[in-house]
Each structure stands twice: as structure tokens, then as C-alpha cells.
Amino acid sequence: GYQIQPQYDSLIAKLIAWGRDRDEALGRLRRSLVDFHVTGVPTTIPFHLQVATNADFASGDYDTGFIDRHPDLVSLPPASPAHDGSTPSVDELTPERIVVEVSGKRFEVVVHGKAQAQAQATARRAPRISQNRSGPTGSNGRGEIVSPIQGTVLRVTVSAGDAVHAGDLICVVEAMKMENEITAPQDGVVSQVEVAPGDTVKTGSLLAVIGPVGAP
């Protein structure tokens, strides 16, 4: 029931694809765009799929005038799922769901094609999940918590004098419409809080300082 407002950036989702080289990244992007379904509102998925299948774009020949030189990209019907002219194999069309651990947190991921066997083997060798479920942190190892990114502080959840445990949320920094939780790297007492909601921080900016329990 949410109404997407026209006054601001109408971004409702972000798709990021990566690979060991441009061809692999584009292949993953095309497959992901084909599998990306949004109902109820029109999206730019067909346009992005057209761009991702364009030969000039695939070769890296693009700049800010790319769309002006290819006006047909905004009027063509959606590209065929067989984006590279071949028929996807059964392995490519049948995703495998596995659970992985990143920084003490569990995520369910979907693996396609040739990467399935390697991912399954890696998953079988994965270590047991640590009981210390501390999340991503910008700590520099001296009790000083610094921002790992440039962005805007959305909220701060601690004050000077608060006792915290490793993994407790310290603040949230937004960058590129993504919220990044900054957590305590260790047990201790917050001795300094250097930011407030609305502040703009740079990579490496001091956010807070945590001292050992019982420290003056």
C-alpha cells in the first residue's frame, strides 16, 4: 500500500553484481535482472537489461553520452532471458540455497551454475558459528570506533558511561541508501561519543571510544 513519492529519488531496490572480470560480472547481472521480479509498479529492469546486453556497453565503450547514442535502448521490449544467445543449462536455471557465515552472522544465499559445487564444498568446510555474534565494526583496535565509510549518521544508540558488550549496536551510518550498523568490538564502557544523528562523517572519522570495564 505504500505510495512511491515523485518528489525524490524513486529508488525502491538496488541490484549489485560482481565478478572476477567484466564479462563474468555482466553475465551475473543479466541473469539476476532476468530473475528480478517486482509487481505492482513499473520498474527500470527492462531498460537495465537492454543496457547490459548492448555490445558497446559489454566492451566497456560507454560514457555520459551513451544513452544519447543509443536511444533505441529506452524503447525496445525487454530482452530475452537467453541474454547471450545460448540456452541456459539446467544447472544455471536451478539455484542452490546454502547458508554462509559472514562476520558472525548467518545469511542464506542462492548460488547458480558452475559455482554450486565449489560453494557446497566450501560450506561443508565452514567453521562452526561463534557464540560471539559481534557484527561489523569500524574499530581500529584501540577502543576507538571509527567509521568504515563516508555517510550520514542516522542514529546513535549509546551515551558516555554506558556499559556495552561486543556486538552491541553503537550507531547507524547511511551511505548510498544503505544502512550500516557500527557495533562494539569488545566489552567495555563508552567513554566518548563523538557524533549525533544528522552528522556527516568521513571514512576514518571517530565515532566513539570504548574503554575497559572499571577504567576511570
Side-chain angles (χ1 to χ4, degrees), residues 149-155 172-175 178 196-201:
I149 56 174
Q150 178 175 321
T152 302
V153 178
L154 291 185
R155 61 182 183 273
V172 177
V173 178
E174 180 189 42
M178 298 181 67
D199 287 353
T200 299
V201 295

Side-chain angles (χ1 to χ4, degrees), residues 27 30-31 33-35 49 53 78-88 93:
R30 293 164 186 151
R31 183 174 60 222
L33 286 168
V34 170
D35 291 340
L49 191 51
T53 55
S80 166
H83 50 76
D84 58 358
S86 62
T87 301
L93 294 176

Side-chain angles (χ1 to χ4, degrees), residues 92-216:
E92 290 176 324
L93 294 176
T94 305
E96 179 74 18
R97 294 182 178 274
I98 63 174
V99 176
V100 299
E101 179 185 353
V102 180
S103 298
K105 294 185 177 181
R106 300 183 71 181
F107 299 90
E108 183 180 84
V109 298
V110 180
V111 182
H112 297 264
K114 297 178 181 179
Q116 288 185 23
Q118 180 179 357
Q120 289 171 337
T122 302
R124 285 194 293 269
R125 297 193 300 270
R128 296 180 61 185
I129 297 177
S130 170
Q131 295 303 310
N132 180 9
R133 301 295 296 279
S134 59
T137 177
S139 172
N140 61 9
R142 300 190 300 271
E144 298 179 345
I145 301 177
V146 298
S147 179
I149 56 174
Q150 178 175 321
T152 302
V153 178
L154 291 185
R155 61 182 183 273
V156 179
T157 60
V158 297
S159 301
D162 288 352
V164 295
H165 297 285
D168 285 352
L169 181 65
I170 301 299
C171 66
V172 177
V173 178
E174 180 189 42
M176 297 297 292
K177 303 186 186 300
M178 298 181 67
E179 295 186 6
N180 301 269
E181 295 186 347
I182 309 301
T183 59
Q186 62 196 40
D187 296 349
V189 176
V190 178
S191 59
Q192 295 175 235
V193 177
E194 298 295 327
V195 291
D199 287 353
T200 299
V201 295
K202 298 180 179 180
T203 302
S205 293
L206 182 63
L207 304 176
V209 179
I210 297 179
V213 177

Side-chain angles (χ1 to χ4, degrees), residues 36-93:
F36 206 141
H37 299 286
V38 178
T39 60
V41 293
T43 73
T44 55
I45 291 175
F47 165 74
H48 288 304
L49 191 51
Q50 291 296 337
V51 172
T53 55
N54 179 273
D56 289 342
F57 183 83
S59 68
D61 180 17
Y62 68 94
D63 53 34
T64 55
F66 179 77
I67 301 302
D68 290 337
R69 295 195 302 273
H70 298 83
D72 53 310
L73 293 177
V74 297
S75 59
L76 287 175
S80 166
H83 50 76
D84 58 358
S86 62
T87 301
S89 67
V90 174
D91 286 342
E92 290 176 324
L93 294 176

Side-chain angles (χ1 to χ4, degrees), residues 8-28:
Y8 304 100
D9 186 348
S10 57
L11 177 67
I12 59 173
K14 180 182 292 186
L15 171 63
I16 300 175
W18 62 273
R20 289 166 293 188
D21 53 36
R22 184 174 181 82
D23 288 341
E24 183 177 68
L26 279 171
R28 291 176 174 177

